[in-house]
Each structure stands twice: as structure tokens, then as C-alpha cells.
Amino acid sequence: MSEKIPNIDFHSHIIPRADHGCKSSSECRAQLAMMREVGTDIAVATPHFYPHLHNVSEFSENVNAALARLKQVGAEKAPLLCIGAEVLLCENIDQLEGLSELCVRGTKTLLLELPSDDMNPGHYKTVEAILNSGYVVVLAHIDRYLKAHPEYVYPLLDMGALAQINPFALSTFGPKKHINQILADSESIVAIGSDLHGSKKGSLKDFSRLKKRLGEHYGNILARSNDLLSGAEMIDLTK
């Protein structure tokens, strides 16, 4: 009998006061309980990291302090927790001191958010340099860019970057068309993430809808996520 592949939420903002996604330990516990209720086995916490605003060392210290507080109070209902970051793609961040500390801990997997303004050649060179340094690059919520600027995404996938989609990704025609094409042509989509901010259940309920819309691709994506988390540090807040 094959081992069950865990349900993985690869993108969430649930670390207290690490960014605008979670205000307190109590809100974090509420978020984790909601995740568990919808069947999430592993949640990857990915607080925003903005290279032009943040220092890696201070960022890590802030996250570690929040984790220490969470471990003290615990959580009755919670998925296993992995720690990473959602790193804004800026030119030359391949040279950022401590870049490896922003990966999902225990892995070389780095979640990158594309810039809100235009992509330029320097952005692509930076991603290429990160890939050439041995990192696994996962692009956050590509459905957001496929709706307006698919030309940003495809060159990055062609150079070896992977992709995460949000639960509502197949609810509108533009992203749906591109995502179905990517799923048919490659294994580039490797993760699903709620992008949870706060304690509203909407983005979590969409997981069940996405499972139906993705069909057989759903299990394949979770298997790829599971592979990416091989060796990752996992925190059990229920003990």
C-alpha cells in the first residue's frame, strides 16, 4: 500500500508580527487550527522579505523569537510547520549575504515573489544566478502574473524555475488557460499555497475546489511539494 502524500500549504503568512499576515500568537494558533480543519498536514510559513527594507539577520531573529513564543504556548490543532520566506525578487539578490537563511529551513528551496513593476533583464540574470548557485527557485502565486503578464513567467520556467499557484488560480479564464497548458507541457507547477493572511477561511476553503479543478494533477503537485520538503525542519506545536 502506497504511503499517503501529505497535504501541503506551501505559502502562508502565519508567523506573528513577522509581516502584516499575522498580528499575534493567538491569531497564529487560530490560523493553524483552520488549516488543520481543512486537512492541511504541513504548512510552510513564508513571511514577506523585502531586500530593500530587511536585513537577513534581523529578519531571522524576529522569526525565531516568534517561534519561541509559539512553542511556549503550543497549539492543540496545527499542521506540522516549516519555516521559509517569500522573498521579493530584486536585482542582484543572488549576492545577498545570508540568502540561504531565507530558504525553507533544511532545504535549498527559495520562494520568490516577482516585482510589481516591470521585469527587466537584470531580474532574469539574478534568477539565473540563483539557480546556478544550486538553489531551487519556486515562483510565488504565478497565477497572479499569468493573468496580466504571462511573458514574465515563461522565460523563468524555461530557465528552470518552478512555480506555486494559489487556490483560486483556476477560477478565471486567463490564468486557467495558461496553468492548464503548463500542467500539460511540464512539471513546473510544484506547489499550492493559500497565501493566508489573517484568519478568514476563504483562501483555505478554495483548496477543495482546486483539488476538483486540478483532477489528477493535484496529487502530482503535492508529490512534488513533498519532494521539495525532503530534509526540511518540521515543527510540531501540538506537543
Side-chain angles (χ1 to χ4, degrees):
M1 187 174 179
S2 60
E3 190 173 333
K4 176 183 177 293
I5 299 171
N7 287 315
I8 299 169
D9 186 335
F10 213 88
H11 181 174
S12 62
H13 297 271
I14 55 178
I15 300 297
R17 296 185 290 279
D19 62 13
H20 58 279
C22 178
K23 299 181 181 68
S24 65
S25 294
S26 60
E27 183 172 35
C28 175
R29 292 197 301 275
Q31 291 174 312
L32 291 168
M34 288 192 313
M35 288 176 152
R36 199 74 191 100
E37 286 171 7
V38 299
T40 302
D41 298 306
I42 301 171
V44 184
T46 52
H48 287 286
F49 180 89
Y50 300 117
H52 58 296
L53 298 176
H54 294 143
N55 171 280
V56 174
S57 178
E58 292 177 358
F59 178 84
S60 297
E61 287 177 8
N62 187 30
V63 171
N64 288 338
L67 285 174
R69 291 190 294 270
L70 284 172
K71 288 176 181 178
Q72 280 186 331
V73 297
E76 291 183 9
K77 295 181 179 180
L80 292 173
L81 185 63
C82 296
I83 307 299
E86 181 182 6
V87 182
L88 179 64
L89 174 60
C90 299
E91 291 184 72
N92 302 316
I93 61 166
D94 56 296
Q95 301 170 31
L96 182 68
E97 185 175 353
L99 182 64
S100 62
E101 295 181 39
L102 302 175
C103 293
V104 178
R105 294 183 183 182
T107 78
K108 294 281 284 183
T109 301
L110 185 68
L111 185 70
L112 285 184
E113 178 181 25
L114 299 188
S116 56
D117 52 1
D118 291 342
M119 292 277 288
N120 63 53
H123 290 120
Y124 293 101
K125 289 180 180 178
T126 297
V127 174
E128 186 174 27
I130 293 171
L131 289 166
N132 289 340
S133 295
Y135 292 92
V136 177
V137 171
V138 178
L139 307 175
H141 41 59
I142 62 162
D143 41 286
R144 183 179 300 178
Y145 314 109
L146 289 173
K147 184 175 183 179
H149 294 287
E151 70 276 10
Y152 292 173
V153 175
Y154 285 102
L156 295 170
L157 298 182
D158 288 342
M159 69 173 64
L162 304 173
Q164 173 254 315
I165 56 176
N166 280 7
F168 48 80
L170 298 181
S171 63
T172 56
F173 178 73
K176 179 178 180 179
K177 177 183 69 173
H178 288 284
I179 286 169
N180 284 338
Q181 191 62 53
I182 293 168
L183 288 169
D185 292 346
S186 72
E187 298 182 349
S188 297
I189 297 176
V190 298
I192 301 165
S194 64
D195 200 3
L196 180 64
H197 290 68
S199 52
K200 292 183 179 180
K201 294 184 178 181
S203 58
L204 295 176
K205 287 183 177 179
D206 281 342
F207 263 102
S208 58
R209 299 171 190 164
L210 189 59
K211 181 176 181 179
K212 182 177 181 181
R213 289 167 180 158
L214 286 169
E216 63 180 10
H217 294 299
Y218 185 82
N220 294 333
I221 292 171
L222 287 182
R224 294 168 199 150
S225 294
N226 195 45
D227 288 343
L228 288 180
L229 295 183
S230 176
E233 298 174 17
M234 299 209 183
I235 300 167
D236 188 348
L237 292 171
T238 65
K239 296 182 178 179

